[in-house]
Amino acid sequence: MLNGQKRWLYIAVPIFFFWFFGQIDKVGISIIQTDPEFLHALGITGADKNAKIGLLSFVFTIAYGVSNLFWGFIIDKLGARKTAIAGLFVWTITMIMSGLANSYEIFLISRIILGFGEGMMIPVSGKLISNWFNKRELGRAQASWLTGNYLGPAMGAVVLVLVISLLHWQAAFFMLAAFNLFINIPMFVLMTRNTPEEHPRISKDELAFIRQTDDEIKETAAHSENKKSFAQDYRFWIVWFGMLVCSFLFFGISIWLPTYLIEAKGFEKEGMSSITSLSWLFALGFVLACGFLADKTRRPSLMATILFSLTAVFLTVAVFIPNPILAGLCMGLAMGCQGGVFHLSNMLMVKYSTPETAGRAAGLIGFTNIMGGFSSYIMGWLRDLSGGDFSSSIAMLIFTALFGLAAYLFSIKRESAELRLSPIHVQKIQA
C-alpha cells in the first residue's frame, strides 16, 4: 500500500506530530492564561494585568522569530533531523520548567527559552519538504504538516481545559513535556533522515520520482532569473512582508481569543473551548483548501489577496454584530483566513528557494513570527488603556490586514503573466 509513497510515512507523519504537539506548546498559554489560579500563582494581577499577559507571548515570539535566522543557517549545515531532535529536548525541559515556575519572572524566562527551542520548526519543516517531495507535490506536502499546526490547538484547547479543571494548570505543562519526550523525539530518531538518499527503506523508483523534473520545471530552471538567490527575487520579499502581517494578525487573534470569549462575550469555559477549537478547525479547513487550490490553479498570490480581504471583513463584522456566538465565529473565521495565508507563504518560500537554501529562506520567513509578539503585547496594552475593551485592538487588526492586501497586489500581475506563458496542464505522474 505504501509502495512508492513512503515519503509520506517517514516525513509527513513525524512533521505532522512535530507541529501537532509543538503548536499546543506554543499557543496553549492562551488557554492557561484564562485560569484564575494560574494568574494568582504567578502574580499576574493589577492595573497592568493584560500587558503582563501579552508580555508572555511577546518574549516568546521575539525569541522564536530571532532564533529562526540562527536555525536556518544551522539546518543548512547540520541537517534538519539532528536540529529537530535538539530542539525537541529543549521544548521538553522548558515545559517542565514552566510547570515548576513559582513566579512570573521564572515563567517569563521559560517562555524565552521555549521560543529559542521552537524557532527551528519552520526551517526544519521547510528543509525536509524541499528535500523529500517532488515540486508538484509542494502544496499537498505543506498541507500535511500544517494540518498538525491547526489540528493540535483545536484538540488541545479542549484537552487543556479538561486537564486544568480536573487537575491543575501545572499538570498541563507536564503533559506537554511527556508528549514530546515519548512521541516526537522517538519519531525523528527512528523514522526520519535528512534526504531520501540516506533512508534505507526508500526505493530507487520513489527516489527517481522525488528527483523528477517535468518539462516546465526544466524550462524555468534554464532562465537565468531563477539562478538568482531567493534574496534577489522581489516576490520572496512580498511573501516575507505578507508573513509579517499574517503573524501580527494570527497571533493577535489566537492568543487573545479565549480571553475575548470569556471577558468580552460572557462565555463559560466550556463554550470558550468549543469556539476556540472550532476556530482552529477553520484554520485547518483553509489550509487544506489552499493546499488543493494552489496546486490546481497555481495562483497563490491571488488567493492570499482574497484571504487578507476576507480577514478585514470578518473582523469588521465581529466588532459590530451584537450576537456573541456570531462575533466569536467571525473572529475564528478571520483567524482561519490567516491560517490559509500562512500555508501559501510557506509554499511560496519553497518555490522561490532551492533545497540548498531552503533552510535559510525558511529562517527568514520564520523570523516574521516576531510580529506576533508585538501584536499580543500591544493588544494587552490597548486593553489596559481602554478598561478591558477589545474594540481598539480589533480595529488595529483590521487596519493591519489592509497592509497584507496591498502587498500581494504587487505580485498578482506577475503571477498571471507566468500562468499565461506556462498554462496548467494535466500530467499523470506515477510515484
Side-chain angles (χ1 to χ4, degrees):
M1 182 176 177
L2 287 173
N3 187 34
Q5 303 288 336
K6 290 183 179 178
R7 61 195 177 280
W8 297 98
L9 172 63
Y10 295 133
I11 299 300
V13 171
I15 290 181
F16 168 82
F17 285 104
F18 185 53
W19 282 85
F20 183 90
F21 294 119
Q23 197 69 356
I24 300 177
D25 291 352
K26 189 187 303 180
V27 303
I29 188 64
S30 67
I31 300 293
I32 296 170
Q33 73 189 26
T34 65
D35 180 49
E37 288 189 27
F38 167 76
L39 299 176
H40 178 74
L42 297 186
I44 306 176
T45 57
D48 61 345
K49 180 184 78 171
N50 293 298
K52 285 182 177 179
I53 292 174
L55 187 61
L56 294 176
S57 296
F58 175 76
V59 297
F60 168 83
T61 50
I62 294 295
Y64 184 88
V66 171
S67 67
N68 265 268
L69 300 176
F70 166 78
W71 285 119
F73 285 96
I74 294 299
I75 289 168
D76 283 337
K77 299 295 183 181
L78 190 62
R81 179 172 175 260
K82 289 181 180 178
T83 305
I85 294 169
L88 286 166
F89 274 111
V90 174
W91 299 3
T92 305
I93 293 170
T94 54
M95 287 296 102
I96 296 172
M97 182 179 176
S98 297
L100 296 175
N102 57 8
S103 71
Y104 179 75
E105 290 73 21
I106 292 177
F107 191 85
L108 202 65
I109 292 171
S110 74
R111 299 303 293 177
I112 296 173
I113 299 173
L114 179 64
F116 277 108
E118 289 196 352
M120 49 74 188
M121 291 181 73
I122 293 177
V124 161
S125 302
K127 186 75 169 181
L128 287 173
I129 293 295
S130 180
N131 283 340
W132 273 84
F133 292 89
N134 185 279
K135 288 291 184 182
R136 290 194 172 275
E137 297 180 306
L138 293 182
R140 283 169 289 161
Q142 293 281 8
S144 70
W145 63 266
L146 285 172
T147 299
N149 187 50
Y150 302 109
L151 189 59
M155 298 180 65
V158 177
V159 172
L160 288 174
V161 168
L162 184 62
V163 170
I164 293 171
S165 299
L166 295 178
L167 299 172
H168 195 267
W169 63 267
Q170 293 171 313
F173 288 106
F174 297 145
M175 176 189 69
L176 294 173
F179 286 150
N180 283 327
L181 188 61
F182 296 112
I183 298 178
N184 274 337
I185 292 175
M187 276 192 165
F188 272 91
V189 170
L190 299 174
M191 297 175 67
T192 65
R193 297 294 186 273
N194 290 324
T195 65
E197 288 85 354
E198 297 175 19
H199 206 294
R201 294 185 178 86
I202 298 300
S203 67
K204 291 182 179 180
D205 289 341
E206 183 168 3
L207 178 60
F209 170 74
I210 292 170
R211 299 297 178 230
Q212 175 186 350
T213 57
D214 57 30
D215 293 338
E216 176 192 346
I217 296 174
K218 289 179 181 177
E219 181 181 351
T220 304
H223 287 81
S224 60
E225 177 184 271
N226 279 349
K227 294 180 181 178
K228 297 178 182 178
S229 165
F230 67 87
Q232 296 175 284
D233 192 333
Y234 78 93
R235 294 170 300 173
F236 175 84
W237 294 108
I238 289 176
V239 174
W240 187 83
F241 180 79
M243 269 298 292
L244 282 177
V245 176
C246 176
S247 297
F248 193 90
L249 292 166
F250 190 85
F251 277 94
I253 298 172
S254 63
I255 293 298
W256 282 104
L257 180 60
T259 304
Y260 167 82
L261 294 172
I262 289 176
E263 297 187 9
K265 297 302 177 182
F267 283 88
E268 298 294 332
K269 283 194 173 182
E270 292 76 11
M272 174 273 289
S273 65
S274 297
I275 291 189
T276 300
S277 294
L278 187 60
S279 299
W280 286 98
L281 290 176
F282 285 153
L284 173 59
F286 277 100
V287 165
L288 296 176
C290 288
F292 175 79
L293 292 173
D295 282 345
K296 293 295 182 182
T297 67
R298 304 207 332 254
R299 296 300 305 270
S301 294
L302 176 61
M303 291 168 62
T305 305
I306 294 171
L307 289 173
F308 275 119
S309 302
L310 289 174
T311 299
V313 171
F314 285 130
L315 290 173
T316 302
V317 173
V319 171
F320 292 103
I321 197 166
N323 187 292
I325 295 178
L326 292 179
L329 291 176
C330 283
M331 291 290 288
L333 286 167
M335 191 176 96
C337 288
Q338 291 308 300
V341 173
F342 180 75
H343 169 57
L344 294 171
S345 299
N346 280 277
M347 191 190 73
L348 288 168
M349 177 274 299
V350 175
K351 176 182 176 181
Y352 297 143
S353 63
T354 66
E356 293 74 26
T357 61
R360 276 165 281 176
L364 283 169
I365 291 292
F367 175 77
T368 62
N369 282 279
I370 198 171
M371 294 303 294
F374 285 99
S375 177
S376 62
Y377 182 75
I378 293 172
M379 287 183 71
W381 176 70
L382 288 174
R383 286 198 68 211
D384 287 332
L385 286 182
S386 58
D389 186 67
F390 273 94
S391 297
S392 57
S393 298
I394 297 176
M396 175 189 66
L397 296 178
I398 295 170
F399 186 73
T400 303
L402 299 179
F403 280 101
L405 167 64
Y408 269 97
L409 288 175
F410 288 99
S411 62
I412 290 178
K413 184 177 180 180
R414 174 71 175 274
E415 184 178 78
S416 178
E418 288 180 345
L419 194 60
R420 287 195 300 270
L421 290 174
S422 180
I424 299 173
H425 59 277
V426 178
Q427 179 179 357
K428 186 177 180 181
I429 303 176
Q430 298 291 334

